[in-house]
Amino acid sequence: MQDDELDTLKETIVARFPDLAGSRFRLLTQGWDSIAVDVDDRLIFKFPRNEIAQKSLIREISLLDVIRPAVTMPVPDIRLIDGSRAFSRHEKLKGSHLETPHYTRLSAEAREDLALRLARFYVDLHGLDMDTMRAAGAEPVEAWSKPDEVRVKVLPLLSGELKILAERIIASWADLPPDPYGTTYGFFDGHGWNMAFDHETGRLSGVYDFADSGFGPLHRDFIYSNFISTDLTERIISHYEILSGCALERERVEVLTGAHRLWELAEAVDDPPRIPFMIDHFSYWAAALR
């Protein structure tokens, strides 16, 4: 079935770019919104699944046109290809995902370089003019359920130390005052699956997938690197404070990280096969706190 789908997408691509007829086409892991095709490990073509996804892609392109010249971090230069089935094309950033096992093998120097590059990226991004980003299509990031709603859904799924930890996180989350730095435009998706990391050189080549970027509380933008390592997050925050002059609340970032894991678990309640995975996801992060 995947071969048939790839053949169809290849025909669409070659019809618009005949010079690619002899290239190697590879169907990438399919995302929720789009199907992606890798061509010669050099180009990425994205095909939105529906009208909503197409609007999201168009918005991402508009946002990146503002972001690209304003940040030192390489980001995709995406171009929309109009037609009966609209799709996009951009040059692939060199590298692949950065996951926890990869990070643990990095030297201290490589970890510092990675954290500094990401900190600069966040400083650049948070410095963008809000009105300019709004005009480019930026919207508020996805809202999480309220702490009480999450409590009702997740506590019956947990037991022992995990349940005690969840109760403590939810209580701390409910008591959090508004973010001291208010709302900013941010990435809000800075986990390792949105990074192009060159494992040969041990350096970050760039970041991608700005579909979930938007306006949100500044501290929330720092929770996603915890998917990779709490050590990385601490290093990013330390560099960010020096570069920006803003003192960040590490406890707030920790509480928001836990809240995010629990919110994702709450969202999985209506999809029972996902529940064990999300519990493991929360448990893995909890173990990193010890």
Side-chain angles (χ1 to χ4, degrees):
M1 187 66 175
Q2 283 195 351
D3 288 342
D4 291 341
E5 186 169 39
L6 180 58
D7 288 341
T8 300
L9 298 178
K10 178 179 177 180
E11 288 178 6
T12 302
I13 293 169
V14 172
R16 297 298 298 271
F17 302 97
D19 57 304
L20 298 177
S23 298
R24 300 184 311 276
F25 290 74
R26 180 167 59 93
L27 197 65
L28 299 180
T29 302
Q30 298 186 10
W32 291 105
D33 295 327
S34 299
I35 304 169
V37 177
D38 180 306
V39 179
D40 289 338
D41 198 32
R42 181 175 60 87
L43 298 170
I44 299 294
F45 293 86
K46 290 172 65 175
F47 292 81
R49 293 182 180 277
N50 49 48
E51 185 177 350
I52 294 175
Q54 181 171 316
K55 289 180 179 178
S56 177
L57 176 61
I58 293 171
R59 183 175 66 251
E60 181 181 10
I61 293 171
S62 177
L63 293 172
L64 282 169
D65 284 345
V66 178
I67 293 167
R68 194 178 310 106
V71 301
T72 56
M73 178 73 69
V75 298
D77 185 358
I78 306 178
R79 292 293 173 258
L80 186 70
I81 313 300
D82 284 319
S84 57
R85 182 176 186 182
F87 59 99
S88 68
R89 164 183 168 146
H90 67 269
E91 291 189 10
K92 183 178 181 179
L93 296 169
K94 180 178 174 58
S96 56
H97 297 164
L98 177 65
E99 301 186 41
T100 303
H102 304 134
Y103 183 78
T104 59
R105 292 193 291 269
L106 293 179
S107 67
E109 292 78 12
R111 293 183 184 191
E112 279 295 288
D113 178 73
L114 171 63
L116 179 57
R117 288 167 64 79
L118 287 168
R120 284 195 182 117
F121 168 63
Y122 287 122
V123 170
D124 290 343
L125 213 57
H126 297 166
L128 290 170
D129 179 72
M130 301 272 278
D131 289 336
T132 300
M133 299 313 298
R134 192 173 291 109
E139 300 174 348
V141 294
E142 183 178 8
W144 298 347
S145 302
K146 300 296 184 183
D148 285 343
E149 297 172 5
V150 172
R151 179 185 287 111
V152 169
K153 289 183 177 181
V154 306
L155 290 188
L157 303 175
L158 302 172
S159 61
E161 292 184 1
L162 282 184
K163 186 171 185 177
I164 293 171
L165 176 61
E167 289 174 330
R168 188 169 76 242
I169 289 170
I170 293 171
S172 298
W173 177 25
D175 289 339
L176 272 184
D179 193 298
Y181 295 108
T183 298
T184 186
Y185 175 78
F187 191 28
F188 297 103
D189 214 14
H191 50 69
W193 302 306
N194 285 339
M195 295 181 186
F197 191 81
D198 187 336
H199 294 278
E200 291 183 9
T201 63
R203 284 179 58 86
L204 183 64
S205 300
V207 299
Y208 54 88
D209 196 351
F210 285 75
D212 291 327
S213 67
F215 302 120
L218 185 141
H219 278 78
R220 180 171 152 180
D221 212 7
F222 294 91
I223 71 174
Y224 301 93
S225 53
N226 277 328
F227 279 77
I228 303 169
S229 170
T230 54
D231 175 78
L232 174 58
T233 299
E234 171 57 33
R235 291 173 188 264
I236 293 171
I237 288 175
S238 295
H239 285 297
Y240 183 92
E241 289 178 321
I242 294 170
L243 293 171
S244 69
C246 297
L248 299 185
E249 299 176 3
R250 287 158 174 76
E251 184 176 354
R252 179 184 290 267
V253 173
E254 182 177 306
V255 169
L256 289 173
T257 301
H260 179 251
R261 302 288 170 99
L262 293 172
W263 168 68
E264 288 189 319
L265 175 56
E267 291 292 289
V269 166
D270 295 327
D271 187 8
R274 286 183 60 215
I275 292 176
F277 172 78
M278 299 313 302
I279 291 176
D280 287 345
H281 192 50
F282 177 62
S283 177
Y284 179 80
W285 172 74
L289 298 179
R290 300 184 189 129

